[in-house]
Amino acid sequence: MEEDNNTIVTEFVFLGLATSLEMKLLFFAIFLAIYGATMVGNLLIVGLVAYEPLLHVPMYFFLGNLSFLDFCYSSVMAPKMLVGFLSRANTITYTGCISQIFFFHFIGGIKIFLLVIMAYDRYVAIFYPLRYMTIMNRTVCAGVVGASWVGGLVHSIVQVAIIVQLPFCGPSVLDNFYCDVPQVVKLACTNTFLVELLMVSNSGLVTLMCFVVLLISYSFLLAKLRAGSASGYNKAISTCASHIAVVTLVFGPCVYIYLRPFCSFPMDKAVSVLYTVVTPVLNPFIYTLRNRDFKMALEKLMRQKMKSTP
Ligand SMILES: *[C@@H]1O[C@H](CO)[C@@H](O)[C@H](O)[C@H]1NC(C)=O
C-alpha cells in the first residue's frame, strides 16, 4: 500500500441532520431540551437508588447503573452534536472521532450486557423468589456489573483496534452526526470487506443473539407469571413489560444499524437519532412512571424537600 502523508485525513466532516440555519437552530433547541431531560431524569434515578433504602435491591441497583450509563452515553454524544448545530463547519478530529467510537461502543456494550443481567435477575426473582436475595447477593451483583464493564471494554477495544489500522486518505465526509463504525469504515481507502464482516459479527450478531435470547426469556417469564396468579402479579407483569420496552428500544436500532452491509438507507439518520438521543431519555420515564417503588421514593424525596424549605 502506498503511503502518502499529504492526503492523510486528520479531520472528518459531519453532514449532520440539517442544512438550513432555521432547521439547525430548531434541532439545537429540541436536542438541548432532550439532553437536559436525559441528565435530570437519569441522575435523579441514580440519586434515588443511592439514597433511598426502599430501592436497595439488586433490580434497582441495575436500573441505577443503566441510568448512569445513559447519562454518560448522551454526554459522549450530545455536547459535540449541539455545538455542531451552531458551528458553520461541523468537523471532528481523527482522534476525537476514534474516542467517540471507543466510548460509544464501551458504554453501549456495558448497557447490552447489563440488560442481559437484568433479565437473569428477573428470572431468579420470578422462579426462585425465596432464594432471590441469597442468589443475587451484593458480591454477585458487584461481580456481574464488573463483568459487564469488562465485556464492554473488550468489545470496544476490538472495534477500535481494527479501525485505527485502516488508512484514511479522503474523502472525509461522514453522512451522520457522530462517528460510528459503519460510516467511518466506509471512508477507509482500502478493501474493507473483511473488516465489515468482522464488525458485523462483533456488533451485529452479538446484539442480535442477545436480543433473541432476551425476548425468548421474557416470553417464558410472562408465561410463568400468567400461569401462577400469585400476589404481586400485576407488579411483576408491569416490571417485565417495562424491561421488554427498554430492551426493544436499545436492541432494535442496534440490530438495524450493525447487522447489515455498510451502505446507507433513507431511515438511517432517524434510527440513529432514536438510538442516541431518544432511547437514553426514555429509560427513566419508562421506569419511574411505571414503577411503584420509584414513585414512592420520589414522593418521599418531595416531602422531605417541602419540609426543608420553609
Ligand atoms: C451499580 O451496581 C452496583 C452493584 O450492584 C451497586 O453497588 C451500585 O450502587 C450501582 N450504581 C448505581 C449508580 O446505581
Side-chain angles (χ1 to χ4, degrees):
M1 202 176 323
E2 45 195 342
E3 294 271 317
D4 186 352
N5 277 338
N6 294 327
T7 56
I8 296 276
V9 168
T10 54
E11 191 168 75
F12 293 103
V13 181
F14 292 133
L15 279 191
L17 288 170
T19 41
S20 72
L21 184 64
E22 292 82 13
M23 284 307 274
K24 281 187 184 175
L25 289 178
L26 180 68
F27 274 126
F28 176 80
I30 295 174
F31 283 26
L32 185 65
I34 297 181
Y35 180 48
T38 310
M39 299 230 284
V40 171
N42 284 304
L43 286 182
L44 186 66
I45 291 189
V46 170
L48 283 177
V49 170
Y51 291 111
E52 176 52 56
L54 196 67
L55 300 178
H56 284 177
V57 286
M59 182 170 95
Y60 297 132
F61 283 140
F62 296 141
L63 282 182
N65 277 271
L66 200 63
S67 280
F68 175 67
L69 290 171
D70 273 331
F71 164 74
C72 297
Y73 199 64
S74 26
S75 299
V76 170
M77 312 296 301
K80 182 81 189 102
M81 195 192 305
L82 290 172
V83 171
F85 286 128
L86 298 183
S87 50
R88 199 169 303 136
N90 189 2
T91 60
I92 188 166
T93 61
Y94 175 81
T95 320
C97 188
I98 298 290
S99 338
Q100 218 177 27
I101 293 180
F102 175 79
F103 285 110
F104 192 61
H105 280 266
F106 181 30
I107 301 171
I110 305 173
K111 259 171 74 170
I112 279 177
F113 291 122
L114 207 56
L115 287 172
V116 174
I117 293 168
M118 284 166 64
Y120 175 71
D121 171 76
R122 286 303 85 206
Y123 165 84
V124 176
I126 289 166
F127 281 89
Y128 306 97
L130 298 179
R131 283 162 55 202
Y132 176 63
M133 284 312 250
T134 33
I135 297 178
M136 299 301 286
N137 61 39
R138 273 202 162 257
T139 325
V140 170
C141 283
V144 289
V145 168
S148 65
W149 280 71
V150 173
L153 188 64
V154 169
H155 161 78
S156 183
I157 286 180
V158 171
Q159 305 276 70
V160 169
I162 295 171
I163 289 191
V164 292
Q165 287 175 15
L166 294 174
F168 293 97
C169 45
S172 59
V173 177
L174 294 166
D175 189 16
N176 208 352
F177 52 98
Y178 60 95
C179 275
D180 197 10
V181 175
Q183 292 83 20
V184 172
V185 165
K186 244 180 31 192
L187 290 184
C189 37
T190 175
N191 185 347
T192 55
F193 178 73
L194 266 181
V195 176
E196 290 183 34
L197 206 64
L198 227 110
M199 297 279 173
V200 167
S201 38
N202 188 4
S203 291
L205 281 182
V206 171
T207 41
L208 181 67
M209 262 158 32
C210 291
F211 191 29
V212 170
V213 168
L214 284 177
L215 286 186
I216 294 174
S217 320
Y218 278 119
S219 313
F220 271 113
L221 289 184
L222 285 178
K224 163 85 177 175
L225 284 174
R226 284 174 65 92
S229 50
S231 66
Y233 166 82
N234 283 332
K235 192 179 160 197
I237 288 267
S238 98
T239 307
C240 276
S242 51
H243 280 217
I244 292 172
V246 169
V247 162
T248 311
L249 270 173
V250 172
F251 280 88
C254 208
V255 170
Y256 175 89
I257 292 174
Y258 298 113
L259 195 67
R260 59 163 205 204
F262 290 173
C263 50
S264 38
F265 294 109
M267 283 290 288
D268 285 2
K269 278 189 191 165
V271 176
S272 295
V273 169
L274 175 71
Y275 185 58
T276 55
V277 180
V278 181
T279 302
V281 76
L282 281 184
N283 286 352
F285 291 105
I286 291 174
Y287 288 112
T288 42
L289 288 183
R290 298 183 56 104
N291 188 286
R292 222 175 32 200
D293 292 340
F294 265 117
K295 275 190 226 159
M296 269 158 68
L298 200 58
E299 273 163 25
K300 212 167 129 185
L301 184 82
M302 298 290 203
R303 273 201 303 275
Q304 277 166 0
K305 249 197 114 47
M306 300 255 243
K307 253 186 247 159
S308 62
T309 43

